[in-house]
Amino acid sequence: MADLKISELPVVIAASAASVIPIVQSGVTSQISVTNLTKEYIRKAEHDVSDVSTTQTINLSTIVSLNILKVVNPGLTLTLQFPLVPIEGQICQFTTLTNTVTLVVGTAGSYSINPSFAGAPAAGFNATYVYHIEDTTWYRIA
């Protein structure tokens, strides 16, 4: 087989568990299977932490999936706006800490939230949604 540039290789949409990927470790080029590459050892995730002290609309991050809302004052109303241009399978997760807060679903964007998270949950409430582009809906998965 002739040497090919990466851009000339066939495109794979989903890798089977036995597929291998080249990897350079300690200066040595080796291979790792998709199964071993996707094993979870320590979970790390970029996250956004916001101190919230007034009633307001909060735009949940379009860059990271984890949104931590530290509610400084009790009795606030927060309108949570999900990302306006989500991609298929995008995860959006949020948690409200420290105080009880009233949550309202933001109305910008042309998508649905199913089921809604609106209400007055106690401190520590969290929800995780995944976006399904086919029917433009954020579905609660946890």
Side-chain angles (χ1 to χ4, degrees):
M1 180 170 146
D3 289 337
L4 297 174
K5 295 180 181 178
I6 290 175
S7 61
E8 297 172 323
L9 295 173
V11 174
V12 175
I13 303 298
S16 68
S19 297
V20 294
I21 299 166
I23 188 168
V24 178
Q25 185 169 314
S26 302
V28 177
T29 302
S30 302
Q31 65 179 349
I32 187 167
S33 70
V34 169
T35 298
N36 286 332
L37 182 65
T38 57
K39 280 184 183 174
E40 187 172 306
Y41 294 96
I42 296 174
R43 181 177 285 182
K44 290 176 44 176
E46 289 295 325
H47 55 281
D48 183 56
V49 179
S50 301
D51 289 331
V52 181
S53 59
T54 61
T55 290
Q56 62 184 285
T57 295
I58 295 177
N59 294 313
L60 298 176
S61 179
T62 59
I63 307 293
V64 300
S65 294
L66 297 171
N67 299 270
I68 301 166
L69 309 173
K70 292 177 16 185
V71 182
V72 178
N73 298 321
L76 301 179
T77 297
L78 302 178
T79 300
L80 301 184
Q81 183 61 61
F82 275 57
L84 297 179
V85 187
I87 60 172
E88 173 63 25
Q90 182 172 345
I91 301 288
C92 187
Q93 181 177 18
F94 63 89
T95 186
T96 58
L97 301 176
T98 313
N99 285 294
T100 298
V101 65
T102 300
L103 298 176
V104 178
V105 177
T107 57
S110 57
Y111 52 75
S112 302
I113 305 281
N114 186 9
S116 176
F117 56 81
F125 173 77
N126 64 74
T128 303
Y129 286 82
V130 63
Y131 185 72
H132 185 58
I133 201 165
E134 187 175 309
D135 58 4
T136 62
T137 301
W138 286 97
Y139 287 106
R140 185 164 180 186
I141 56 173

